[in-house]
Amino acid sequence: MLGTFTYDNPTRIHFGENSLQALNQELPNFGDTVLLVYGGGSIKKSGLYDKVVEILKANGKTIVEDAGVMSNPTSDKLNEGVARARAGKADFILAVGGGSVIDYAKAVSVSIHCEEDPWEKYFERMEDVDCEIVPVGSVLTMVGTGSEMNGGSVITNHDKKLKIGHVFGSNVFPKFSILDPIYTYTLPKYQMVAGFFDIMSHLLEQYFSGTDDNTSDYVIEGLLRSLIHSARIAVENPKDYEARSNIMWTATWALNTFTHMGKPGDWMVHMLGQAVGAYTDATHGMTLAAVSLPYYKHILKEGLPKFKRYAINVWNVDPAGKSDEEIALEGLAEMEKYMKEIGVVMNLTDLGTTPEMIEGIADATFILDSGYKKLTRDEVVDVLKASL
Ligand code: NZQ
Ligand code: ZN
């Protein structure tokens, strides 16, 4: 049975080729001083930076630059960005980049007018925003996180060895996001497939929970089938517009709160992956890939009917003459084959994790109880060891 919910997603999406021109429509709705947030330089290489600056100038905006947002953005960088935005009196934030850039822009947006330490308030204490929020718009260049249409913001604190996500309310969602698949063509293959697995993981985190008959589970199965199909094509030919555009839109729907309505989610793969990220700074999607199969095998018995359904409806496993467990395991075996085929990282060792780090990573793992099984700390250690 669907739970009770309010569905509110205020992000306007401008999708498709040349959708960057929609910036001209959007900019007049927002302030005159724009904090232009971007990463380590990919947008300069691709030429996107020049196009964005040209449009900002044509719309009479003053630009305050905030470059160098790293993957897995840090609390130190957040403090630096807040100081820059305050000094420049930014009243609008334009994030041009991947999930890291957009997550960071959201964190800055709720911190400019906040008098407390943002890391402590939003990420350690998980408090709500009680100050003015500077609006954010985004131009997406890396597909995966769904940050373009949600309130998620994940920040890493290296001193404390913690990577924590705060899911803000709809007042922090980007006001608009521009999604042109062509701007994702320049992504290195490693990042591209990491993003593909991130999408898959978002869908699975929501799928592997609950025992009821739920609309979202059917939608998720459809999104997974579309993703698996298109990802295979994109790996062969990264410039296949049909595949890249389908994946871009799937990624947005995979984590724009829609399929989460009325049902719980598991999210332990993300908790494990984030803890690994806090220790290794590894690419988000790859951390998820490395822990997923050991984790799912660990909880398979508790969630058996759903793992069986996953095998049949997503991986086309023929159930005839097999036990439920055999069917479920065959589904995971198909998933493993697919992961290897698209080229994700299959273990934590390849991401720089050492056996000595396991206890610390286990301490940094937030244990949730909304999936099929609440892990003990010892089980977290077991899953991490099995992922090495
Ligand atoms: O920094 P630049 O030079 O732009 O390079 C980036 C970066 O090195 C590069 N890149 C991005 N677009 C490109 C490109 N290179 C060439 N051409 C392009 N078009 O790709 C690298 C990765 O970018 P990044 O933004 O770090 O990746 P992603 O989008 O996967 O974001 C990862 C962050 O998002 C968080 C993760 O934890 C991680 O911190 N997440 C956010 C979520 C949310 N908001 O809901 C949910 C996710 O589960 C995730 O936790
Ligand atoms: Zn993710």
Side-chain angles (χ1 to χ4, degrees):
M1 190 187 73
L2 280 172
T4 306
F5 59 83
T6 300
Y7 181 58
D8 173 25
N9 194 317
T11 306
R12 264 186 311 283
I13 297 289
H14 302 279
F15 190 94
E17 262 189 280
N18 296 322
S19 48
L20 187 63
Q21 291 310 317
L23 256 188
N24 288 305
Q25 257 163 264
E26 291 288 356
L27 288 173
N29 302 324
F30 300 100
D32 289 332
T33 306
V34 178
L35 188 74
L36 177 58
V37 178
Y38 55 99
S42 72
I43 67 162
K44 288 204 166 159
K45 263 196 223 154
S46 70
L48 179 58
Y49 172 87
D50 288 340
K51 290 182 189 162
V52 168
V53 166
E54 191 185 318
I55 296 174
L56 286 170
K57 285 188 177 155
N59 282 271
K61 304 292 180 182
T62 302
I63 301 170
V64 179
E65 295 235 0
D66 186 4
V69 178
M70 61 293 281
S71 285
N72 309 320
T74 63
S75 48
D76 287 343
K77 176 67 186 162
L78 171 59
N79 291 335
E80 182 198 309
V82 170
R84 195 180 290 262
R86 283 179 184 159
K89 297 196 171 24
D91 47 15
F92 177 62
I93 303 176
L94 185 63
V96 186
S100 294
V101 169
I102 304 175
D103 277 18
Y104 166 87
K106 289 177 206 165
V108 172
S109 81
V110 296
S111 304
I112 292 174
H113 297 288
C114 172
E115 282 164 17
E116 295 161 76
D117 179 285
W119 163 262
E120 289 173 10
K121 180 178 174 68
Y122 298 125
F123 299 93
E124 280 192 348
R125 301 200 300 274
M126 286 288 169
E127 287 175 13
D128 289 336
V129 189
D130 47 22
C131 64
E132 186 189 332
I133 300 165
V134 177
V136 172
S138 90
V139 181
L140 185 66
T141 65
M142 153 97 196
V143 171
T145 65
S147 190
E148 65 275 13
M149 202 179 185
N150 71 32
S153 174
V154 185
I155 298 294
T156 299
N157 185 316
H158 284 305
D159 295 338
K160 297 195 171 169
K161 286 211 174 334
L162 287 172
K163 179 176 180 182
I164 301 179
H166 187 132
V167 181
F168 289 102
S170 58
N171 49 356
V172 182
F173 286 31
K175 301 296 173 207
F176 65 85
S177 285
I178 292 176
L179 277 59
D180 183 339
I182 308 262
Y183 289 124
T184 68
Y185 285 2
T186 50
L187 269 169
K189 185 176 177 213
Y190 188 86
Q191 294 297 340
M192 180 183 79
V193 298
F196 293 172
F197 194 81
D198 194 19
I199 305 166
M200 174 169 258
S201 182
H202 295 157
L203 291 165
L204 294 180
E205 298 275 28
Q206 295 164 82
Y207 189 69
F208 288 128
S209 69
T211 52
D212 55 336
D213 184 40
N214 190 301
T215 310
S216 289
D217 290 334
Y218 297 88
V219 176
I220 291 169
E221 287 167 358
L223 291 171
L224 281 166
R225 293 180 72 95
S226 168
L227 170 71
I228 293 161
H229 172 73
S230 297
R232 285 186 162 130
I233 296 170
V235 166
E236 285 301 312
N237 178 13
K239 293 200 171 151
D240 186 304
Y241 184 85
E242 186 170 64
R244 295 303 287 269
S245 59
N246 280 330
I247 295 169
M248 196 170 205
W249 197 215
T250 299
T252 304
W253 280 96
L255 200 55
N256 70 356
T257 70
F258 172 66
T259 55
H260 224 317
M261 291 296 118
K263 81 184 298 270
D266 180 329
W267 294 106
M268 273 316 293
V269 167
H270 271 67
M271 294 305 106
L272 292 159
Q274 280 175 204
V276 169
Y279 271 73
T280 61
D281 213 24
T283 298
H284 171 66
M286 296 308 190
T287 64
L288 308 176
V291 300
S292 283
L293 289 168
Y295 174 67
Y296 288 140
K297 284 178 190 160
H298 190 85
I299 64 161
L300 184 121
K301 284 203 173 74
E302 282 76 9
L304 194 55
K306 188 59 80 61
F307 281 99
K308 176 186 171 189
R309 179 175 161 176
Y310 174 58
I312 296 169
N313 291 356
V314 177
W315 296 106
N316 303 320
V317 170
D318 178 1
K322 296 168 196 157
S323 71
D324 287 357
E325 193 170 334
E326 281 167 346
I327 298 166
L329 282 170
E330 208 176 311
L332 292 186
E334 287 299 318
M335 177 175 165
E336 183 170 355
K337 258 196 263 167
Y338 163 79
M339 290 167 72
K340 288 180 177 160
E341 182 187 331
I342 65 167
V344 294
V345 175
M346 299 300 291
N347 63 69
L348 289 178
T349 306
D350 288 350
L351 296 174
T353 310
T354 60
E356 295 71 39
M357 290 180 187
I358 295 293
E359 292 296 325
I361 294 174
D363 286 339
T365 302
F366 293 88
I367 298 176
L368 307 177
D369 60 0
S370 48
Y372 291 125
K373 185 180 204 301
K374 184 176 179 190
L375 300 188
T376 62
R377 189 184 174 284
D378 286 348
E379 288 178 303
V380 169
V381 170
D382 290 344
V383 171
L384 289 169
K385 283 186 177 162
S387 307
L388 274 174

